[in-house]
Structure formats: C-alpha cells, structure tokens
Amino acid sequence: MPTMDASSEDFATVYALSALAWILAEDSRAQRLIALTGLTPDDLRLRLSNPAVLAAVLGFLEAHEPDLIACAAATGVTPADLVAARRSLEG
C-alpha cells in the first residue's frame, strides 16, 4: 500500500480496514480482538463504517507493539501511519 496522508479520514479508513483484514486473517488475533475490545463479530459487520469502531481496531494494534509493527509491514505502511490513522478516526 503506498504511503498516503494517514491524517485524512478517507485514508485512515483504508488503513483501518486493511489492518482489520490482517487481524482477521489469523484466528488467534481475531479472538484476541474480540476479547479485548468487546466488539462482537456482529458489531464488526454492522458498524464497519463507524470511525469509532475502526479507531478501536487500530487501538487494539497499538496496545500490542509486535502486532502493530507486523501489521504495518504486512500492509505496506509504517506503524506511525496506523497511529495517525487512529487519531484521525477519533476526531
């Protein structure tokens, strides 16, 4: 993924959705996301366009630096881009 302005809400949404796809690709990460955020699979499906839900996904990554770094590498952005995206989504 090319570097974009993570402070833009549109790009922040793209980063968050990419991060969510990365999280959900591994069952143990997906289960940890659900356990730690309180989001249910239905919440994710129904509220996927909600900036607060997307910010929570990125916050989940921030809380565990190895996942933040791995996700950034896998999605072609920097960890700082993901942090900036979370801040943008939080308003």
Side-chain angles (χ1 to χ4, degrees):
M1 179 181 301
T3 300
M4 299 177 260
D5 182 6
S7 65
S8 160
E9 190 170 329
D10 288 341
F11 291 130
T13 298
V14 170
Y15 287 173
L17 291 173
S18 295
L20 180 59
W22 180 82
I23 292 166
L24 297 178
E26 183 179 288
D27 190 54
S28 64
R29 277 194 309 256
Q31 293 302 319
R32 195 163 31 95
L33 172 72
I34 289 167
L36 295 176
T37 63
L39 294 169
T40 66
D42 285 339
D43 288 333
L44 289 172
R45 278 189 291 278
L46 296 172
R47 299 174 46 208
L48 198 52
S49 63
N50 184 315
V53 170
L54 295 176
V57 167
L58 294 172
F60 164 79
L61 290 174
E62 279 185 75
H64 188 67
E65 187 176 22
D67 279 352
L68 177 68
I69 292 168
C71 179
T75 58
V77 300
T78 68
D81 288 334
L82 295 175
V83 172
R86 189 230 353 116
R87 288 181 182 142
S88 176
L89 290 164
E90 287 179 340

